[in-house]
Amino acid sequence: MSYLDYQVAQVPTGFRKILYINWPLVLLITAVCCIGFLMLYSVAGGRMDTWAEPQMIRFAVGMVIMLGLAFVPMWFWRGISVAAYVVCFLMLVAVDLFGVIGMGAQRWIDIGPIRIQPSELMKIAVVLLLAAYYDWLPLNRVSRPLWVIVPVLVILAPTALVLMQPDLGTSIMLIAGGGIVMFAAGVSLWYFGAVIGAAVGLVVAVMRSRGTDWQLLRDYQFRRIDTFLDPTSDPLGAGYNIIQSQIALGSGGLSGRGFMQGTQSRLNFLPEKHTDFIFTVLSEEFGFIGASSLLVLYMLILGFCLYSALSNRDRFASLITIGISATFFLYFSINMATVMGLLPAKGSPLPLVSYGGTSLMILMLGFGLVQSAHVHRPR
Amino acid sequence: MKKSQREIMDSTRQITRRGLMLAGIQVATVTTLALKMRSMQLDHAEEYRTLADGNSIKIRLLPPSRGLILDRNGIIIAGNEQNYRVTLTREEAGGDVQAVLRRLSQLVPMTEARMAELMEEFSRRSAITPIVLADRLSWEQFSAIAVNAPSLPGVTPESALSRAYPRAGDFAHVMGYVGPVSDYDLSRIEDPDPVLLLPDFQLGKIGVEGRMEEILRGKAGARRVEVNSQGREMRQLSRQQGEQGATLQLTLDAALQNYAAQRMGTESAAAVVTDCQTGELLSICSSPSFDPNKFVRGISSPEYRALMDHDHRPLADKTVQGVYPPGSTFKMVTLMAGLEAGVIDAGTRFYCPGHTELGGRRFHCWRRGGHGTVDAIKSLEESCDVYYYELAQRVGIDRIAIMARKLGLGQRHDLPMSAVAEGIAPDREWKMARHGQAWQIGDSLNASIGQGFVLASPLQLAVMTARIASGREVRPQLIRSIDGVRQAVPEYAPLDISAASLRVARLGMDAVMNSARGTARGARITREDWRMAGKTGTSQVRNITVAERARGVISNDQLPWARRDHALFVAYAPYDAPKYAISLVVEHGGGGSAVAAPIARDILLFALNGGLPPLDAVPSDQRAALEERHNAMHLYKPEAPRPGRSRA
């Protein structure tokens, strides 16, 4: 069913749309963000103006954007999906050509006062374009090889550009996000099996190549893998952050050390405690209860998104909602797994909680689309 | 295009199925995360709590002990010695580092400037890296600090190993030295080993220490210790042993190196002794030298200035970095180029009137009166320059350059030492590229006697001599074994030079030493089984003007030191079964035969004898002088070979 088929008359119009917004989702997002403000206040040593206040302002702006997007009709998004993808792609090329050097890799472009990170926008754009593609494609062709190649190229082209920046983390997110939309659209499971099999084979080949003539990684890259597998092997180098982060997490116990009482974060043992490692602060100060509460809130957000997606008869809207919520899921599970030492260290923010504008804005933009899909669903 | 109701139904069913599968994966993932959290926060909370509380468990890195460097007989030339020192870790000092430093300064004298320097360093380094406050403490100071530890939070007295060079200056140039890791060092290393971040960790800077750093360094270990709130260690929880650096055995012979250094004395000189067959370097000695231990401990700036300003340049490694015009030692190259090209044979004669006229310029032979009729053997024996002027015009520079490269000149030999020089074996192309000028015939004449553009290092001259002696493409070797694993000596290919040409060159070199008119007859070895063949060289470092020549060339003794000629000598022995080759350069020494040859002969005799040269191997009139010289030398006592080490 495409937007031409909407029974437009039955879709709410004007300000009546406000009644059809997915309000539980809005409440949940606000709750998670509030946890974020609390933690930012705590890690700043009880100061609002360091991190909490700027973050609140961003949240307010993000909220307005999300609600604003909710009013935009769903068919508009489908109409601009190709254009959005092309624009993001060109911006990525521009970043590679004359981007600002930041954090050792080229990721941003400055347009006036706004700093845009096209690789983040691309995560949404890929979901948008793939959803539109599968909406357009007749169901019986979804698993035909030729029609599988197109979305694979749509995913890999920007991934290659992002890899050149180089930003391995975002590349993986792009592939996973796009892959999930393909999965939801019903692409045969054999394809996914083959890709996962190939990936496992590659990892095995890389690890087996160590010390031989055809070694596939440099020695220091292997050492980084060693550090991940056993952080204590390099306690003062790369393993230090993970060890300290685990100490902070574990020492929280059941109910935590109390608000603003975390010693690990107070004493500066934790790096980047206001961004990538903020989950450890939460776990240290509020313990298992606090950490699992956040996890429950995240699961509820995923649940409401899934319910919205499955109850929506518009294929495009369903795929968008699943794609965005999956991206959100990847965000928080990668971050948590990293600070627990289940994944190799790599910088990634905890969604809606970590300090930082880009990831918050992108998420609010995404949830705006989810809301739009919810408001304009066929009735 | 309108979708049928059926299509919508199919799509919805499809998405529902896949959506629920996704939800399953997500729930599984989140369950894993929750279980991990439960395990950390509920089951192991106590352990983590202990770790967090009072920061009572610390990880201390154990620096590896640096690999030893031995000579070919197992004598230590670079070892490690105990060094008592105190370090302070900011994180454990309880906030007031300044106060701790003040209290410490009552036990160990410390200037205000030093304290300020330390404070600056503390602010630069991370809180968990210990900084060395003072080292090379006496045992009394060390124990005083240990006793007062409770009032010095964060201060740790420790004994560490520090690099020491028991043979002092003998190996300074080959070995290089170690020093603390600088920011510049770190910036050059990709993914530095965390142990490098330890303060005062010693990193090889130059020479073998620098080039073999990777294998000498070893791997750090770590210790987990429980400390009390004062930062004192209460007990050790676990210990992970590091790996000691590999033991490196060089091909050098410490006794020979010692003798060479003593024999060269205060001269500004360089000697290289190599095995003719294997290419193993037995001695590679640059004089005067310096004490590398001073660099390890931190050299004072007047001492450093004195080394820098010394006109004999003790810091420079003249053996591999220094390049000199090889002078007449280059004549074997020109001669064999001519023989190989077929423009002369051994019997071809040229007449030497004492000079050659060419394009209005006069090229002089060293003997004003001339040598008369000269053939190949005599040209080397008496070192006639005019013979080579004639030969150079017939053979051309390009063929001379090719021969020079065949013999190892004009190329960088691969040795684990710093700044190994390439030297110059000039040809037409080189001059055009380097100076943008066409090659002149006069350039060929100069090059034919090893002057002009030709430059070679003592190492290259030793390789050249070894190649002439063995007839093989010998390459210099410095590493004998790594951790007891013998390095393979390559099988050298025969030189691309005919046996006949090599024979002429060898006969000529033999005549230099042993015939009645040989230029270096005075420096011959008189024992027949060690018979030596060699070639002298004297290379000019100044231009002799026409006017001066008319007045009479000023002799070297009357010139200031820096303008005297370089004295060179290359040789090998025994003549019949070549074993060792030597090259020796005495900077501004004067004549090759008078100054360089006797020194080289004595060093070669030491190598052949495996100990002090026997007096009966030198001409009888020199024996008394040599004995006196030996008595004045400061030689290390022969060391018993260490058990378990390979013996040469």
Side-chain angles (χ1 to χ4, degrees), chain B residues 170 257-266 285 632-635:
Chain B
D170 281 4
Q257 182 88 354
N258 186 212
Y259 182 80
Q262 290 291 320
R263 184 65 185 81
M264 289 190 286
T266 54
C285 188
M633 284 183 182
H634 302 284
L635 296 173

Side-chain angles (χ1 to χ4, degrees), chain A residues 1 135 183 187 251 257, chain B residues 3 18 41 49 53 55 191:
Chain A
M1 174 154 169
D135 184 32
F183 181 85
V187 174
S251 65
R257 309 204 128 193
Chain B
K3 282 180 185 167
R18 289 292 172 94
Q41 295 194 301
R49 188 66 66 105
D53 276 346
N55 311 314
D191 193 41

